[in-house]
Amino acid sequence: QVQLQESGPGLVKPSETLSLTCSVSGDSITSYYWTWFRQPPGKGLEWIGYFYNSGSTKDINYNPSLNSRVTISLDTSKKQFSLKLTSMTAADTAVYFCARHSGRTGWDPDYRGQGILVTVSS
Amino acid sequence: DVVVTQSPLSLPVTLGQPASISCRSSQSLVYGDGNTYLNWFHQRPGQSPRRLIYAVSNRDSGVPDRFSGSGSGTDFTLRISRVEAEDVGIYYCMQGTHWPWTFGQGTKVEIK
């Protein structure tokens, strides 16, 4: 059974950098696309970006609204992929989700984490 | 960004009765490969959204056949033929044709 689990701090101060990790168990992490998206409390969904890295092939795409602040990367040895978001503000308070990206159809139904709430506050 | 507009935003339904959610996009969702990437997700409280339907009308594995998707171009619909208690939650449409992918505001389905 495939499991994805987000981990990281639940509280970040304004202007700091958020670092989240998604651990994948039960399946390979290579040769797949992986993605992050988020949901502010009581609000809708927003794509953050997706990442693919296999050998010499790399495909990365970030939401232009976050482009200059976001980095997604993969650590195949740990079977993890990560999200870094710099210059955090209150507007970045949200539940952050990781999932296996399925391209233009979103994410695979059985390959998604439960989400982690990140609050930006001093 | 492509704006995706759902209606209604709140949908009280009677068990066993049909339900319908509309999703409209500000641009055509027909992609260059001929496919239309309009997808539907269902989110229960405290859970991450789960995809139900992809590319307009394709049901994911395990999704009951009471769910169906239809539409073309900029106008799409999710239908539930007979609502069951487990169908409550928030439904989102999502377009995957124009990056960044964008979502509708969500439609909250609850039992009357």
Side-chain angles (χ1 to χ4, degrees), chain A residues 53-86:
Chain A
N53 188 2
S54 182
S56 59
T57 303
K58 190 179 282 190
D59 186 9
I60 305 171
N61 214 353
Y62 301 134
N63 190 322
S65 69
L66 301 170
N67 196 28
S68 61
R69 299 196 293 135
V70 64
T71 303
I72 298 175
S73 59
L74 202 67
D75 186 335
T76 54
S77 64
K78 294 181 179 178
K79 293 187 71 175
Q80 295 176 338
F81 63 104
S82 64
L83 167 70
K84 284 193 187 329
L85 190 60
T86 63

Short mmCIF file of all heavy atoms in Angstrom, two decimals, chain A residues 53-86:
data_model
loop_
_atom_site.label_atom_id
_atom_site.label_comp_id
_atom_site.label_asym_id
_atom_site.label_seq_id
_atom_site.Cartn_x
_atom_site.Cartn_y
_atom_site.Cartn_z
N ASN A 53 12.47 14.13 -12.06
CA ASN A 53 13.91 14.04 -12.26
C ASN A 53 14.28 12.57 -12.37
O ASN A 53 14.16 11.82 -11.42
CB ASN A 53 14.66 14.69 -11.10
CG ASN A 53 16.15 14.77 -11.36
OD1 ASN A 53 16.63 14.38 -12.42
ND2 ASN A 53 16.89 15.31 -10.41
N SER A 54 14.67 12.16 -13.56
CA SER A 54 15.09 10.77 -13.76
C SER A 54 16.28 10.76 -14.69
O SER A 54 16.14 11.02 -15.87
CB SER A 54 13.93 9.95 -14.35
OG SER A 54 14.30 8.60 -14.51
N GLY A 55 17.44 10.49 -14.14
CA GLY A 55 18.65 10.48 -14.94
C GLY A 55 18.93 11.87 -15.47
O GLY A 55 19.03 12.84 -14.72
N SER A 56 18.98 11.97 -16.77
CA SER A 56 19.33 13.25 -17.39
C SER A 56 18.08 14.08 -17.71
O SER A 56 18.18 15.19 -18.21
CB SER A 56 20.11 13.00 -18.67
OG SER A 56 19.34 12.22 -19.56
N THR A 57 16.93 13.52 -17.42
CA THR A 57 15.68 14.21 -17.74
C THR A 57 15.11 14.89 -16.50
O THR A 57 14.94 14.25 -15.47
CB THR A 57 14.63 13.23 -18.28
OG1 THR A 57 15.16 12.56 -19.41
CG2 THR A 57 13.35 13.96 -18.66
N LYS A 58 14.88 16.16 -16.63
CA LYS A 58 14.31 16.92 -15.52
C LYS A 58 13.18 17.79 -16.07
O LYS A 58 13.31 18.40 -17.14
CB LYS A 58 15.37 17.80 -14.87
CG LYS A 58 14.94 18.45 -13.57
CD LYS A 58 16.05 19.30 -12.97
CE LYS A 58 17.11 18.48 -12.28
NZ LYS A 58 18.06 19.30 -11.52
N ASP A 59 12.09 17.84 -15.35
CA ASP A 59 10.94 18.67 -15.75
C ASP A 59 10.39 19.30 -14.49
O ASP A 59 9.94 18.60 -13.59
CB ASP A 59 9.88 17.81 -16.45
CG ASP A 59 8.75 18.65 -17.01
OD1 ASP A 59 8.84 19.89 -17.01
OD2 ASP A 59 7.73 18.05 -17.44
N ILE A 60 10.46 20.59 -14.42
CA ILE A 60 10.00 21.31 -13.23
C ILE A 60 9.11 22.46 -13.70
O ILE A 60 9.40 23.14 -14.68
CB ILE A 60 11.19 21.91 -12.45
CG1 ILE A 60 12.21 20.82 -12.11
CG2 ILE A 60 10.70 22.59 -11.18
CD1 ILE A 60 13.50 21.37 -11.55
N ASN A 61 8.03 22.65 -12.98
CA ASN A 61 7.15 23.76 -13.31
C ASN A 61 6.54 24.30 -12.02
O ASN A 61 5.98 23.54 -11.22
CB ASN A 61 6.05 23.30 -14.26
CG ASN A 61 5.66 24.38 -15.24
OD1 ASN A 61 6.09 25.52 -15.14
ND2 ASN A 61 4.82 24.03 -16.20
N TYR A 62 6.67 25.59 -11.83
CA TYR A 62 6.13 26.22 -10.63
C TYR A 62 5.01 27.18 -11.02
O TYR A 62 5.03 27.78 -12.09
CB TYR A 62 7.21 27.00 -9.89
CG TYR A 62 8.40 26.17 -9.42
CD1 TYR A 62 9.69 26.61 -9.62
CD2 TYR A 62 8.21 24.94 -8.79
CE1 TYR A 62 10.79 25.87 -9.19
CE2 TYR A 62 9.29 24.18 -8.36
CZ TYR A 62 10.58 24.65 -8.57
OH TYR A 62 11.65 23.89 -8.15
N ASN A 63 4.08 27.36 -10.10
CA ASN A 63 3.03 28.35 -10.31
C ASN A 63 3.72 29.72 -10.43
O ASN A 63 4.47 30.12 -9.54
CB ASN A 63 2.05 28.32 -9.13
CG ASN A 63 0.81 29.14 -9.39
OD1 ASN A 63 0.87 30.21 -10.00
ND2 ASN A 63 -0.31 28.68 -8.90
N PRO A 64 3.45 30.46 -11.49
CA PRO A 64 4.10 31.77 -11.66
C PRO A 64 3.87 32.71 -10.49
O PRO A 64 4.71 33.57 -10.21
CB PRO A 64 3.46 32.32 -12.94
CG PRO A 64 3.08 31.10 -13.70
CD PRO A 64 2.64 30.11 -12.66
N SER A 65 2.77 32.55 -9.77
CA SER A 65 2.50 33.43 -8.64
C SER A 65 3.47 33.19 -7.49
O SER A 65 3.62 34.04 -6.61
CB SER A 65 1.07 33.23 -8.14
OG SER A 65 0.91 31.95 -7.54
N LEU A 66 4.15 32.04 -7.51
CA LEU A 66 5.09 31.69 -6.44
C LEU A 66 6.49 31.47 -6.98
O LEU A 66 7.41 31.19 -6.21
CB LEU A 66 4.65 30.39 -5.76
CG LEU A 66 3.28 30.38 -5.12
CD1 LEU A 66 2.91 28.96 -4.72
CD2 LEU A 66 3.24 31.30 -3.90
N ASN A 67 6.66 31.59 -8.28
CA ASN A 67 7.86 31.13 -8.99
C ASN A 67 9.17 31.55 -8.34
O ASN A 67 10.08 30.75 -8.19
CB ASN A 67 7.80 31.64 -10.43
CG ASN A 67 8.77 30.90 -11.31
OD1 ASN A 67 9.10 29.74 -11.06
ND2 ASN A 67 9.24 31.56 -12.35
N SER A 68 9.26 32.77 -7.93
CA SER A 68 10.54 33.25 -7.43
C SER A 68 10.82 32.78 -6.00
O SER A 68 11.95 32.91 -5.52
CB SER A 68 10.57 34.79 -7.46
OG SER A 68 9.54 35.30 -6.63
N ARG A 69 9.81 32.19 -5.36
CA ARG A 69 9.98 31.81 -3.95
C ARG A 69 10.01 30.31 -3.72
O ARG A 69 10.30 29.86 -2.62
CB ARG A 69 8.84 32.39 -3.11
CG ARG A 69 8.74 33.90 -3.11
CD ARG A 69 7.86 34.38 -1.96
NE ARG A 69 6.47 33.99 -2.13
CZ ARG A 69 5.72 33.48 -1.16
NH1 ARG A 69 6.23 33.23 0.04
NH2 ARG A 69 4.44 33.18 -1.38
N VAL A 70 9.71 29.51 -4.73
CA VAL A 70 9.49 28.09 -4.50
C VAL A 70 10.56 27.23 -5.15
O VAL A 70 11.07 27.55 -6.23
CB VAL A 70 8.09 27.68 -5.00
CG1 VAL A 70 7.97 27.85 -6.50
CG2 VAL A 70 7.75 26.26 -4.59
N THR A 71 10.90 26.16 -4.46
CA THR A 71 11.80 25.14 -5.00
C THR A 71 11.28 23.77 -4.58
O THR A 71 10.99 23.55 -3.40
CB THR A 71 13.24 25.29 -4.46
OG1 THR A 71 13.73 26.60 -4.75
CG2 THR A 71 14.15 24.25 -5.10
N ILE A 72 11.13 22.89 -5.55
CA ILE A 72 10.76 21.49 -5.27
C ILE A 72 11.93 20.64 -5.71
O ILE A 72 12.51 20.84 -6.78
CB ILE A 72 9.48 21.08 -6.03
CG1 ILE A 72 8.29 21.94 -5.58
CG2 ILE A 72 9.18 19.60 -5.78
CD1 ILE A 72 7.01 21.68 -6.37
N SER A 73 12.28 19.67 -4.86
CA SER A 73 13.41 18.81 -5.19
C SER A 73 13.13 17.38 -4.73
O SER A 73 12.19 17.14 -3.98
CB SER A 73 14.69 19.34 -4.56
OG SER A 73 14.54 19.41 -3.15
N LEU A 74 13.98 16.47 -5.20
CA LEU A 74 13.78 15.04 -4.97
C LEU A 74 15.02 14.46 -4.32
O LEU A 74 16.14 14.79 -4.72
CB LEU A 74 13.53 14.36 -6.31
CG LEU A 74 12.82 13.04 -6.37
CD1 LEU A 74 11.37 13.19 -5.94
CD2 LEU A 74 12.86 12.50 -7.79
N ASP A 75 14.85 13.59 -3.34
CA ASP A 75 15.96 12.84 -2.76
C ASP A 75 15.60 11.36 -2.90
O ASP A 75 14.89 10.80 -2.08
CB ASP A 75 16.16 13.22 -1.29
CG ASP A 75 17.40 12.58 -0.67
OD1 ASP A 75 17.83 11.51 -1.17
OD2 ASP A 75 17.93 13.14 0.29
N THR A 76 16.11 10.76 -3.97
CA THR A 76 15.71 9.38 -4.25
C THR A 76 16.25 8.41 -3.21
O THR A 76 15.61 7.40 -2.92
CB THR A 76 16.20 8.95 -5.65
OG1 THR A 76 17.60 9.18 -5.73
CG2 THR A 76 15.50 9.76 -6.72
N SER A 77 17.40 8.71 -2.62
CA SER A 77 17.98 7.79 -1.63
C SER A 77 17.10 7.70 -0.38
O SER A 77 17.02 6.67 0.27
CB SER A 77 19.39 8.24 -1.25
OG SER A 77 19.36 9.50 -0.61
N LYS A 78 16.40 8.79 -0.08
CA LYS A 78 15.53 8.80 1.09
C LYS A 78 14.07 8.57 0.71
O LYS A 78 13.21 8.52 1.60
CB LYS A 78 15.66 10.13 1.84
CG LYS A 78 17.01 10.39 2.46
CD LYS A 78 17.01 11.73 3.20
CE LYS A 78 18.36 12.00 3.85
NZ LYS A 78 18.39 13.33 4.53
N LYS A 79 13.80 8.47 -0.57
CA LYS A 79 12.42 8.35 -1.07
C LYS A 79 11.57 9.51 -0.55
O LYS A 79 10.49 9.34 0.01
CB LYS A 79 11.81 7.00 -0.70
CG LYS A 79 12.48 5.83 -1.40
CD LYS A 79 11.74 4.54 -1.16
CE LYS A 79 10.42 4.50 -1.88
NZ LYS A 79 9.73 3.20 -1.76
N GLN A 80 12.11 10.71 -0.72
CA GLN A 80 11.42 11.91 -0.28
C GLN A 80 11.49 12.97 -1.37
O GLN A 80 12.43 13.00 -2.16
CB GLN A 80 12.09 12.49 0.98
CG GLN A 80 12.00 11.61 2.21
CD GLN A 80 12.76 12.20 3.39
OE1 GLN A 80 13.66 13.02 3.23
NE2 GLN A 80 12.40 11.78 4.59
N PHE A 81 10.48 13.82 -1.39
CA PHE A 81 10.60 15.04 -2.17
C PHE A 81 10.21 16.20 -1.27
O PHE A 81 9.48 16.02 -0.29
CB PHE A 81 9.83 15.01 -3.48
CG PHE A 81 8.34 14.87 -3.37
CD1 PHE A 81 7.51 15.97 -3.58
CD2 PHE A 81 7.74 13.64 -3.11
CE1 PHE A 81 6.14 15.84 -3.52
CE2 PHE A 81 6.37 13.51 -3.04
CZ PHE A 81 5.57 14.61 -3.25
N SER A 82 10.75 17.36 -1.57
CA SER A 82 10.63 18.45 -0.63
C SER A 82 10.13 19.73 -1.30
O SER A 82 10.18 19.89 -2.52
CB SER A 82 11.97 18.71 0.05
OG SER A 82 12.91 19.13 -0.91
N LEU A 83 9.67 20.61 -0.45
CA LEU A 83 9.20 21.92 -0.87
C LEU A 83 9.89 22.97 -0.02
O LEU A 83 9.94 22.84 1.20
CB LEU A 83 7.68 22.03 -0.66
CG LEU A 83 7.08 23.44 -0.77
CD1 LEU A 83 7.11 23.92 -2.21
CD2 LEU A 83 5.64 23.45 -0.23
N LYS A 84 10.44 23.99 -0.68
CA LYS A 84 10.96 25.14 0.05
C LYS A 84 10.23 26.37 -0.48
O LYS A 84 10.16 26.59 -1.69
CB LYS A 84 12.47 25.29 -0.16
CG LYS A 84 13.30 24.31 0.65
CD LYS A 84 14.77 24.71 0.66
CE LYS A 84 15.68 23.69 1.29
NZ LYS A 84 15.17 22.87 2.35
N LEU A 85 9.73 27.16 0.44
CA LEU A 85 9.03 28.39 0.09
C LEU A 85 9.60 29.51 0.94
O LEU A 85 9.52 29.47 2.18
CB LEU A 85 7.53 28.23 0.34
CG LEU A 85 6.60 29.33 -0.19
CD1 LEU A 85 6.73 29.47 -1.71
CD2 LEU A 85 5.15 29.03 0.19
N THR A 86 10.22 30.49 0.27
CA THR A 86 10.91 31.56 0.99
C THR A 86 9.97 32.73 1.27
O THR A 86 8.85 32.81 0.76
CB THR A 86 12.11 32.06 0.18
OG1 THR A 86 11.63 32.62 -1.05
CG2 THR A 86 13.08 30.93 -0.13
#
